[in-house]
Structures are given as C-alpha cells and as structure tokens.
Coordinates of all heavy atoms in Angstrom, one line a residue:
M297 N 0.9 -1.2 0.0 CA 0.0 0.0 0.0 C 0.9 1.2 0.0 O 1.9 1.3 0.7 CB -0.9 0.0 1.2 CG -1.9 1.1 1.3 SD -3.5 0.4 1.7 CE -4.4 1.8 2.0
S298 N 0.5 2.3 -0.8 CA 1.3 3.5 -0.9 C 1.1 4.3 0.3 O 0.1 4.2 1.1 CB 0.9 4.2 -2.2 OG -0.4 4.6 -2.1
E299 N 2.0 5.3 0.5 CA 1.9 6.2 1.6 C 0.7 7.1 1.4 O 0.4 7.5 0.3 CB 3.2 7.1 1.6 CG 4.4 6.4 2.0 CD 4.5 6.1 3.5 OE1 4.1 6.9 4.3 OE2 4.8 4.9 3.8
P300 N 0.1 7.5 2.6 CA -1.1 8.4 2.5 C -0.6 9.8 1.9 O 0.5 10.2 2.3 CB -1.6 8.5 3.9 CG -0.8 7.6 4.7 CD 0.3 7.0 3.9
T301 N -1.4 10.4 1.1 CA -1.1 11.7 0.6 C -1.3 12.8 1.7 O -1.9 12.5 2.7 CB -1.9 12.1 -0.6 OG1 -3.3 12.2 -0.2 CG2 -1.8 11.0 -1.7
L302 N -0.8 14.0 1.5 CA -1.1 15.1 2.3 C -2.6 15.3 2.5 O -3.0 15.5 3.7 CB -0.4 16.4 1.8 CG -0.8 17.7 2.5 CD1 -0.2 17.7 3.9 CD2 -0.3 18.8 1.7
F303 N -3.3 15.2 1.4 CA -4.7 15.5 1.5 C -5.4 14.3 2.3 O -6.4 14.6 3.0 CB -5.3 15.6 0.1 CG -4.9 16.9 -0.6 CD1 -4.4 16.8 -1.9 CD2 -4.9 18.1 0.1 CE1 -4.0 18.0 -2.5 CE2 -4.4 19.3 -0.5 CZ -4.0 19.2 -1.8
T304 N -5.0 13.1 2.1 CA -5.6 12.0 2.8 C -5.3 12.2 4.3 O -6.2 12.0 5.1 CB -5.0 10.6 2.4 OG1 -5.2 10.4 1.0 CG2 -5.5 9.5 3.2
R305 N -4.2 12.7 4.7 CA -3.9 12.9 6.1 C -4.7 14.0 6.7 O -5.1 14.0 7.8 CB -2.4 13.2 6.2 CG -1.5 11.9 5.9 CD -0.1 12.2 5.8 NE 0.4 12.5 7.1 CZ 1.6 13.1 7.4 NH1 2.3 13.5 6.4 NH2 1.9 13.3 8.6
I306 N -5.0 15.0 5.9 CA -5.9 16.1 6.3 C -7.3 15.6 6.5 O -7.9 15.9 7.5 CB -5.9 17.3 5.3 CG1 -4.5 18.0 5.3 CG2 -7.0 18.3 5.6 CD1 -4.3 19.0 4.2
I307 N -7.8 14.9 5.5 CA -9.2 14.3 5.6 C -9.3 13.4 6.8 O -10.3 13.5 7.5 CB -9.5 13.5 4.3 CG1 -9.6 14.5 3.1 CG2 -10.8 12.7 4.5 CD1 -9.7 13.8 1.8
E308 N -8.3 12.6 7.1 CA -8.4 11.7 8.3 C -8.1 12.4 9.6 O -8.2 11.8 10.6 CB -7.4 10.6 8.1 CG -7.8 9.7 6.9 CD -6.8 8.6 6.6 OE1 -5.7 8.5 7.2 OE2 -7.1 7.7 5.8
G309 N -7.8 13.7 9.6 CA -7.6 14.5 10.8 C -6.2 14.4 11.4 O -5.9 14.9 12.5
E310 N -5.3 13.7 10.7 CA -3.9 13.6 11.1 C -3.1 14.9 11.0 O -2.3 15.2 11.8 CB -3.2 12.5 10.3 CG -1.8 12.2 10.7 CD -1.1 11.1 9.8 OE1 -1.9 10.3 9.3 OE2 0.1 11.2 9.7
I311 N -3.5 15.7 10.0 CA -3.0 17.1 9.9 C -4.2 18.0 9.9 O -5.2 17.7 9.3 CB -2.3 17.2 8.5 CG1 -1.1 16.3 8.4 CG2 -1.9 18.6 8.2 CD1 -0.4 16.3 7.1
P312 N -4.1 19.1 10.7 CA -5.2 20.0 10.8 C -5.5 20.7 9.5 O -4.6 21.0 8.7 CB -4.8 21.0 11.9 CG -3.3 20.9 11.9 CD -2.9 19.5 11.5
G313 N -6.8 20.9 9.3 CA -7.3 21.7 8.1 C -8.4 22.6 8.5 O -9.2 22.3 9.4
D314 N -8.5 23.7 7.8 CA -9.7 24.6 8.0 C -10.8 24.2 7.1 O -10.9 24.6 6.0 CB -9.2 26.0 7.8 CG -10.2 27.1 8.1 OD1 -11.4 26.7 8.5 OD2 -10.0 28.3 7.9
F315 N -11.7 23.3 7.6 CA -12.7 22.7 6.8 C -13.9 23.7 6.6 O -14.4 24.3 7.6 CB -13.3 21.4 7.5 CG -12.3 20.3 7.4 CD1 -11.3 20.2 8.3 CD2 -12.3 19.4 6.3 CE1 -10.4 19.1 8.3 CE2 -11.4 18.3 6.3 CZ -10.5 18.2 7.2
V316 N -14.3 23.9 5.4 CA -15.5 24.7 5.1 C -16.7 23.9 4.8 O -17.8 24.3 5.0 CB -15.1 25.6 3.8 CG1 -16.3 26.4 3.4 CG2 -13.9 26.5 4.1
H317 N -16.4 22.6 4.3 CA -17.5 21.7 3.9 C -17.0 20.3 4.0 O -15.8 20.1 3.7 CB -18.0 22.0 2.5 CG -18.9 21.0 1.9 ND1 -20.3 21.1 2.2 CD2 -18.8 19.9 1.2 CE1 -20.9 20.1 1.5 NE2 -20.0 19.4 0.9
R318 N -17.9 19.4 4.4 CA -17.5 18.0 4.4 C -18.7 17.1 4.1 O -19.8 17.4 4.6 CB -16.9 17.6 5.8 CG -16.5 16.1 5.9 CD -16.1 15.8 7.3 NE -15.0 16.4 7.8 CZ -13.8 15.8 7.9 NH1 -13.6 14.6 7.5 NH2 -12.7 16.5 8.3
D319 N -18.6 16.2 3.2 CA -19.6 15.2 3.0 C -19.0 13.8 2.7 O -17.8 13.7 2.9 CB -20.6 15.6 1.9 CG -20.0 15.8 0.5 OD1 -19.1 14.9 0.1 OD2 -20.3 16.7 -0.3
D320 N -19.8 12.9 2.3 CA -19.2 11.5 2.2 C -18.3 11.3 0.9 O -17.6 10.4 0.8 CB -20.3 10.5 2.1 CG -21.3 10.6 0.9 OD1 -21.4 11.8 0.5 OD2 -21.8 9.6 0.5
Q321 N -18.3 12.3 0.0 CA -17.5 12.2 -1.2 C -16.3 13.2 -1.3 O -15.4 12.9 -2.0 CB -18.4 12.4 -2.4 CG -19.4 11.3 -2.6 CD -20.2 11.5 -3.9 OE1 -19.7 11.4 -4.9 NE2 -21.5 11.9 -3.7
C322 N -16.4 14.3 -0.5 CA -15.3 15.3 -0.6 C -15.3 16.2 0.6 O -16.2 16.2 1.4 CB -15.5 16.1 -1.9 SG -16.9 17.3 -1.9
V323 N -14.2 16.9 0.7 CA -14.1 18.0 1.7 C -13.6 19.2 1.0 O -13.1 19.2 -0.1 CB -13.0 17.6 2.8 CG1 -13.4 16.4 3.6 CG2 -11.6 17.5 2.2
V324 N -13.9 20.4 1.6 CA -13.4 21.7 1.1 C -12.7 22.3 2.2 O -13.2 22.4 3.3 CB -14.6 22.6 0.6 CG1 -14.0 23.9 0.1 CG2 -15.4 21.9 -0.5
I325 N -11.4 22.7 2.0 CA -10.6 23.4 3.0 C -10.1 24.7 2.4 O -10.0 24.9 1.2 CB -9.5 22.5 3.5 CG1 -8.5 22.1 2.3 CG2 -10.0 21.2 4.2 CD1 -7.2 21.4 2.7
R326 N -9.7 25.6 3.4 CA -9.1 26.8 3.0 C -7.6 26.5 2.8 O -7.0 25.8 3.5 CB -9.2 27.9 4.1 CG -10.7 28.3 4.3 CD -10.8 29.5 5.2 NE -12.2 29.7 5.5 CZ -13.1 30.2 4.7 NH1 -12.7 30.6 3.5 NH2 -14.4 30.3 5.1
D327 N -7.1 27.0 1.7 CA -5.6 26.8 1.4 C -4.8 27.6 2.4 O -5.1 28.7 2.8 CB -5.4 27.4 0.0 CG -4.0 27.0 -0.6 OD1 -3.0 27.0 0.1 OD2 -4.0 26.6 -1.8
I328 N -3.7 26.9 2.9 CA -2.9 27.5 3.9 C -1.9 28.6 3.3 O -1.3 29.3 4.0 CB -2.1 26.5 4.7 CG1 -1.1 25.7 3.8 CG2 -3.0 25.6 5.5 CD1 -0.1 24.8 4.5
N329 N -1.8 28.5 1.9 CA -1.0 29.5 1.2 C -1.8 30.1 0.1 O -1.6 29.9 -1.1 CB 0.3 28.8 0.7 CG 1.3 29.8 0.1 OD1 1.3 31.0 0.4 ND2 2.1 29.3 -0.9
P330 N -2.8 30.9 0.4 CA -3.8 31.4 -0.6 C -3.2 32.3 -1.6 O -2.3 33.1 -1.3 CB -4.9 32.1 0.3 CG -4.2 32.5 1.5 CD -3.1 31.4 1.8
Q331 N -3.6 32.1 -2.9 CA -3.2 32.9 -4.0 C -4.3 33.9 -4.3 O -4.1 34.6 -5.3 CB -2.9 32.0 -5.2 CG -1.9 30.9 -4.9 CD -0.5 31.5 -4.5 OE1 0.0 32.3 -5.2 NE2 0.0 31.1 -3.3
A332 N -5.3 34.0 -3.6 CA -6.4 34.9 -3.8 C -7.0 35.2 -2.4 O -6.8 34.5 -1.4 CB -7.5 34.3 -4.7
P333 N -7.8 36.3 -2.3 CA -8.5 36.5 -1.0 C -9.3 35.3 -0.4 O -9.3 35.1 0.8 CB -9.4 37.7 -1.3 CG -8.7 38.4 -2.4 CD -8.1 37.3 -3.3
V334 N -10.0 34.6 -1.3 CA -10.6 33.4 -0.9 C -10.0 32.3 -1.8 O -10.1 32.3 -3.1 CB -12.2 33.4 -1.1 CG1 -12.8 32.1 -0.8 CG2 -12.7 34.6 -0.3
H335 N -9.4 31.3 -1.2 CA -8.7 30.2 -2.0 C -9.1 28.9 -1.3 O -8.6 28.6 -0.2 CB -7.2 30.4 -2.0 CG -6.5 29.5 -3.0 ND1 -5.2 29.7 -3.3 CD2 -6.9 28.4 -3.6 CE1 -4.8 28.7 -4.1 NE2 -5.9 27.9 -4.3
L336 N -10.0 28.2 -1.9 CA -10.5 26.9 -1.3 C -10.1 25.7 -2.2 O -10.0 25.8 -3.4 CB -12.0 27.0 -1.2 CG -12.6 28.2 -0.5 CD1 -14.1 28.2 -0.7 CD2 -12.2 28.1 1.0
L337 N -9.9 24.6 -1.5 CA -9.5 23.4 -2.2 C -10.6 22.4 -2.0 O -11.0 22.1 -0.9 CB -8.2 22.8 -1.7 CG -7.0 23.7 -1.7 CD1 -5.8 23.1 -0.9 CD2 -6.6 24.1 -3.1
V338 N -11.2 21.8 -3.1 CA -12.2 20.8 -3.1 C -11.4 19.5 -3.3 O -10.8 19.3 -4.4 CB -13.2 21.0 -4.2 CG1 -14.3 19.9 -4.1 CG2 -13.9 22.4 -4.1
I339 N -11.5 18.6 -2.4 CA -10.7 17.4 -2.4 C -11.6 16.2 -2.3 O -12.3 16.0 -1.3 CB -9.7 17.4 -1.2 CG1 -8.8 18.7 -1.2 CG2 -8.8 16.2 -1.2 CD1 -8.1 18.9 0.1
P340 N -11.5 15.3 -3.2 CA -12.3 14.0 -3.1 C -11.7 13.1 -2.0 O -10.5 13.1 -1.8 CB -12.1 13.4 -4.5 CG -10.8 13.8 -5.0 CD -10.6 15.3 -4.4
V341 N -12.7 12.5 -1.3 CA -12.2 11.5 -0.3 C -11.5 10.3 -1.0 O -10.5 9.8 -0.4 CB -13.5 11.0 0.5 CG1 -13.1 9.9 1.4 CG2 -14.0 12.2 1.3
K342 N -12.0 9.9 -2.1 CA -11.3 8.8 -2.9 C -10.1 9.5 -3.5 O -10.2 10.4 -4.3 CB -12.2 8.3 -4.0 CG -11.5 7.3 -4.9 CD -12.4 6.9 -6.1 CE -11.6 6.0 -7.0 NZ -12.4 5.7 -8.2
P343 N -8.9 8.9 -3.2 CA -7.7 9.5 -3.8 C -7.7 9.4 -5.3 O -7.9 8.3 -5.8 CB -6.5 8.7 -3.1 CG -7.1 8.0 -1.9 CD -8.6 7.9 -2.2
L344 N -7.4 10.5 -5.9 CA -7.2 10.6 -7.4 C -5.9 11.3 -7.6 O -5.7 12.3 -7.1 CB -8.4 11.3 -8.1 CG -9.8 10.7 -8.1 CD1 -10.7 11.7 -8.8 CD2 -9.8 9.4 -8.8
V345 N -5.1 10.7 -8.5 CA -3.9 11.4 -8.9 C -4.2 12.3 -10.1 O -4.0 11.9 -11.2 CB -2.8 10.4 -9.2 CG1 -1.5 11.1 -9.6 CG2 -2.6 9.4 -8.1
G346 N -4.6 13.5 -9.8 CA -5.0 14.4 -10.8 C -6.2 13.9 -11.7 O -6.7 12.8 -11.5
I347 N -6.6 14.7 -12.6 CA -7.7 14.3 -13.5 C -7.3 13.1 -14.3 O -8.2 12.3 -14.7 CB -8.2 15.6 -14.3 CG1 -9.5 15.3 -15.0 CG2 -7.1 16.0 -15.3 CD1 -10.7 15.2 -14.0
Q348 N -6.0 13.0 -14.7 CA -5.6 11.9 -15.5 C -5.8 10.5 -14.7 O -5.8 9.5 -15.4 CB -4.2 12.0 -16.0 CG -3.1 11.8 -15.0 CD -2.8 13.1 -14.1 OE1 -3.5 14.0 -14.2 NE2 -1.7 13.0 -13.4
G349 N -5.9 10.6 -13.4 CA -6.1 9.4 -12.6 C -7.6 9.0 -12.6 O -7.9 7.9 -12.0
A350 N -8.5 9.8 -13.1 CA -9.9 9.5 -13.0 C -10.3 8.4 -14.1 O -9.6 8.4 -15.1 CB -10.7 10.8 -13.3
E351 N -11.2 7.6 -13.7 CA -11.7 6.6 -14.6 C -13.2 6.8 -14.9 O -13.8 7.6 -14.3 CB -11.5 5.2 -14.0 CG -10.0 4.9 -13.7 CD -9.8 3.6 -12.9 OE1 -10.8 3.0 -12.5 OE2 -8.6 3.3 -12.6
D352 N -13.7 6.0 -15.8 CA -15.1 6.2 -16.2 C -16.1 6.1 -15.0 O -17.1 6.7 -14.9 CB -15.6 5.1 -17.2 CG -15.0 5.4 -18.6 OD1 -14.6 6.6 -18.8 OD2 -15.0 4.5 -19.5
D353 N -15.7 5.2 -14.0 CA -16.5 5.1 -12.8 C -16.5 6.3 -11.9 O -17.3 6.4 -11.0 CB -16.0 3.9 -12.0 CG -16.3 2.5 -12.6 OD1 -17.1 2.5 -13.6 OD2 -15.7 1.5 -12.2
D354 N -15.6 7.2 -12.2 CA -15.5 8.5 -11.4 C -16.4 9.6 -11.9 O -16.3 10.7 -11.4 CB -14.1 8.9 -11.3 CG -13.2 7.9 -10.5 OD1 -13.7 7.4 -9.5 OD2 -12.1 7.6 -11.0
R355 N -17.2 9.4 -13.0 CA -18.0 10.5 -13.5 C -18.9 11.2 -12.5 O -18.9 12.4 -12.4 CB -18.9 9.9 -14.7 CG -18.1 9.6 -15.9 CD -19.1 9.0 -16.9 NE -18.4 8.4 -18.1 CZ -18.1 9.1 -19.2 NH1 -18.4 10.3 -19.3 NH2 -17.4 8.5 -20.1
S356 N -19.6 10.4 -11.7 CA -20.5 10.9 -10.7 C -19.7 11.7 -9.7 O -20.1 12.8 -9.3 CB -21.2 9.8 -10.0 OG -22.0 10.3 -9.0
L357 N -18.5 11.2 -9.2 CA -17.7 11.9 -8.3 C -17.2 13.2 -8.8 O -17.3 14.3 -8.2 CB -16.5 11.0 -7.9 CG -15.4 11.7 -7.0 CD1 -16.0 12.2 -5.7 CD2 -14.2 10.8 -6.8
L358 N -16.7 13.2 -10.1 CA -16.3 14.5 -10.7 C -17.4 15.5 -10.8 O -17.1 16.7 -10.5 CB -15.6 14.2 -12.0 CG -14.4 13.3 -12.0 CD1 -13.9 12.9 -13.4 CD2 -13.3 14.0 -11.2
G359 N -18.6 15.1 -11.1 CA -19.7 16.0 -11.2 C -20.0 16.6 -9.8 O -20.3 17.7 -9.6
H360 N -19.9 15.7 -8.8 CA -20.2 16.1 -7.4 C -19.2 17.1 -7.0 O -19.5 18.1 -6.3 CB -20.1 14.9 -6.5 CG -20.3 15.2 -5.0 ND1 -21.6 15.5 -4.5 CD2 -19.5 15.3 -4.0 CE1 -21.5 15.7 -3.2 NE2 -20.2 15.7 -2.9
L361 N -17.9 17.0 -7.3 CA -16.9 17.9 -7.0 C -17.2 19.3 -7.6 O -17.0 20.3 -6.9 CB -15.5 17.5 -7.4 CG -15.0 16.2 -6.8 CD1 -13.7 15.8 -7.5 CD2 -14.8 16.3 -5.3
M362 N -17.6 19.3 -8.8 CA -17.9 20.6 -9.5 C -19.1 21.3 -8.8 O -19.1 22.5 -8.6 CB -18.2 20.4 -11.0 CG -17.1 19.7 -11.7 SD -15.7 20.8 -11.9 CE -16.1 21.5 -13.5
L363 N -20.2 20.5 -8.5 CA -21.3 21.1 -7.9 C -21.1 21.5 -6.5 O -21.6 22.5 -6.0 CB -22.5 20.1 -8.0 CG -23.0 19.9 -9.4 CD1 -24.1 18.8 -9.4 CD2 -23.6 21.2 -10.0
T364 N -20.2 20.8 -5.8 CA -19.8 21.2 -4.4 C -19.0 22.5 -4.5 O -19.3 23.4 -3.6 CB -19.0 20.1 -3.8 OG1 -19.8 18.9 -3.6 CG2 -18.5 20.6 -2.4
A365 N -18.2 22.7 -5.5 CA -17.4 24.0 -5.6 C -18.4 25.1 -5.8 O -18.3 26.2 -5.2 CB -16.5 23.9 -6.8
K366 N -19.4 24.9 -6.6 CA -20.5 25.9 -6.9 C -21.2 26.2 -5.6 O -21.4 27.4 -5.2 CB -21.4 25.5 -7.9 CG -22.6 26.4 -8.2 CD -23.6 25.7 -9.2 CE -24.9 26.5 -9.1 NZ -25.9 25.8 -9.9
F367 N -21.6 25.2 -4.8 CA -22.4 25.4 -3.6 C -21.5 26.1 -2.6 O -22.0 27.1 -1.9 CB -22.7 24.0 -3.0 CG -23.2 24.0 -1.6 CD1 -24.5 24.4 -1.3 CD2 -22.4 23.6 -0.6 CE1 -25.0 24.5 0.0 CE2 -22.9 23.6 0.7 CZ -24.2 24.0 1.0
V368 N -20.3 25.8 -2.4 CA -19.4 26.4 -1.4 C -19.2 27.9 -1.8 O -19.1 28.8 -1.0 CB -18.2 25.6 -1.1 CG1 -17.2 26.4 -0.3 CG2 -18.5 24.3 -0.5
A369 N -19.0 28.1 -3.1 CA -18.7 29.5 -3.5 C -19.9 30.4 -3.2 O -19.8 31.5 -2.7 CB -18.5 29.5 -5.0
Q370 N -21.1 29.8 -3.4 CA -22.4 30.6 -3.1 C -22.4 30.8 -1.6 O -22.7 31.9 -1.1 CB -23.6 29.8 -3.6 CG -23.7 29.9 -5.1 CD -24.9 29.0 -5.6 OE1 -25.3 28.1 -4.9 NE2 -25.3 29.2 -6.8
K371 N -22.1 29.8 -0.8 CA -22.1 29.9 0.7 C -21.1 30.9 1.2 O -21.4 31.6 2.2 CB -21.8 28.5 1.3 CG -22.0 28.4 2.7 CD -21.9 26.9 3.2 CE -20.6 26.7 3.9 NZ -20.5 25.3 4.5
E372 N -20.0 31.0 0.5 CA -19.0 32.0 0.9 C -19.3 33.4 0.3 O -18.5 34.3 0.5 CB -17.6 31.5 0.3 CG -17.1 30.3 1.0 CD -16.5 30.6 2.4 OE1 -15.7 31.5 2.6 OE2 -16.9 29.8 3.3
G373 N -20.4 33.5 -0.4 CA -20.8 34.9 -0.9 C -20.0 35.3 -2.1 O -19.9 36.5 -2.4
L374 N -19.5 34.4 -2.9 CA -18.7 34.7 -4.1 C -19.6 34.9 -5.3 O -19.0 35.4 -6.3 CB -17.7 33.6 -4.3 CG -16.7 33.4 -3.2 CD1 -15.7 32.3 -3.5 CD2 -15.9 34.7 -2.9
G375 N -20.8 34.5 -5.3 CA -21.7 34.7 -6.5 C -21.1 34.0 -7.7 O -20.7 32.8 -7.6
S376 N -20.9 34.7 -8.8 CA -20.2 34.2 -9.9 C -18.8 34.7 -10.0 O -18.2 34.5 -11.0 CB -21.0 34.5 -11.2 OG -21.1 35.9 -11.3
G377 N -18.3 35.4 -9.0 CA -17.0 36.0 -9.0 C -15.9 35.0 -8.5 O -15.2 35.4 -7.6
Y378 N -15.8 33.9 -9.1 CA -14.8 32.9 -8.7 C -14.4 32.1 -10.0 O -15.1 32.1 -11.0 CB -15.3 32.0 -7.6 CG -16.4 31.1 -8.0 CD1 -16.2 29.8 -8.5 CD2 -17.8 31.5 -7.9 CE1 -17.2 29.0 -8.9 CE2 -18.8 30.6 -8.3 CZ -18.5 29.4 -8.8 OH -19.6 28.6 -9.2
R379 N -13.2 31.5 -9.9 CA -12.8 30.6 -11.0 C -12.5 29.2 -10.4 O -12.1 29.1 -9.2 CB -11.7 31.2 -11.8 CG -10.4 31.1 -11.2 CD -9.3 31.8 -12.1 NE -8.2 32.0 -11.2 CZ -7.0 31.8 -11.6 NH1 -6.7 31.5 -12.8 NH2 -6.0 32.0 -10.7
L380 N -12.7 28.3 -11.2 CA -12.5 26.9 -10.8 C -11.4 26.3 -11.6 O -11.4 26.4 -12.8 CB -13.8 26.1 -11.0 CG -13.8 24.6 -10.6 CD1 -13.6 24.5 -9.1 CD2 -15.2 24.0 -11.0
V381 N -10.3 25.8 -10.9 CA -9.2 25.3 -11.5 C -9.1 23.8 -11.1 O -9.2 23.5 -10.0 CB -7.9 26.0 -11.1 CG1 -6.6 25.4 -11.7 CG2 -8.0 27.5 -11.4
V382 N -8.9 22.9 -12.1 CA -8.7 21.5 -11.9 C -7.2 21.2 -11.8 O -6.5 21.5 -12.8 CB -9.4 20.7 -13.0 CG1 -9.1 19.2 -12.7 CG2 -10.9 21.0 -13.0
N383 N -6.7 20.7 -10.7 CA -5.3 20.4 -10.6 C -5.1 19.0 -11.4 O -5.7 18.0 -11.0 CB -4.9 20.2 -9.2 CG -3.5 19.9 -9.0 OD1 -2.8 19.6 -10.0 ND2 -3.0 20.0 -7.8
A384 N -4.3 19.1 -12.4 CA -4.1 17.9 -13.2 C -2.9 17.0 -12.7 O -2.5 16.1 -13.3 CB -3.8 18.3 -14.6
G385 N -2.5 17.3 -11.5 CA -1.5 16.4 -10.9 C -0.2 17.1 -10.7 O 0.6 17.5 -10.4

C-alpha cells in the first residue's frame, strides 16, 4: 500500500485543516498559502492522482466535486466571481 497523501492525512484528521464543507465524497478546505483573498480546495475522499487518474466510474464523483465547488462558492458569498481550476497532478 502506498503512503497516504497530504490530503488523505488532512481528511483523516492527522494534519489540521480549516474545513469549510465535508460530505461523504469530498471535503473543502481553505488553502494555507492562498493565492487569492478566498482560496479553497475541493478534495475528493477517494484519492485521485489528478484528473488523469480518473476513470469512467468516477464520472459521478467528478460532477459532485464541481457542484460542491459551486455550492461552497455561493455559501462563501462569491456569487459568480470565482474561478474553478482543476489540478491535473
């Protein structure tokens, strides 16, 4: 078994994170080194190595991540004034 990633360790509570949202498929945390006034990371609970690590079975998860980003942006009062970047690894 491979070593847990930084994000896995945050999700499991081994490393502290500033959680904005949590559900059974993903978490949203505030970036510790923000590049914008509001910089949030949407992280799937299922480890994916970038978008290239996604498989056909992950379609529902990927859609959930996008809709969660939209939901959290609205909750944070960002309206349509945000951009969504997919980390490709």
Side-chain angles (χ1 to χ4, degrees):
M297 184 133 168
S298 62
E299 290 287 317
T301 67
L302 171 66
F303 294 131
T304 301
R305 295 172 67 201
I306 292 170
I307 291 168
E308 293 177 353
E310 185 179 329
I311 296 174
D314 185 0
F315 290 86
V316 176
H317 173 85
R318 180 189 293 260
D319 63 38
D320 62 332
Q321 296 183 66
C322 69
V323 300
V324 180
I325 61 172
R326 295 189 189 282
D327 194 316
I328 62 169
N329 187 24
Q331 303 300 305
V334 178
H335 190 170
L336 305 171
L337 305 173
V338 181
I339 306 164
V341 171
K342 174 187 176 184
L344 292 176
V345 180
I347 193 70
Q348 75 276 10
E351 299 174 358
D352 286 343
D353 290 345
D354 295 320
R355 287 177 191 269
S356 176
L357 172 61
L358 296 173
H360 179 76
L361 297 175
M362 301 289 269
L363 291 173
T364 298
K366 175 186 166 189
F367 168 76
V368 171
Q370 290 172 341
K371 189 169 106 173
E372 291 285 309
L374 301 176
S376 62
Y378 65 93
R379 80 183 159 137
L380 184 60
V381 177
V382 176
N383 182 352

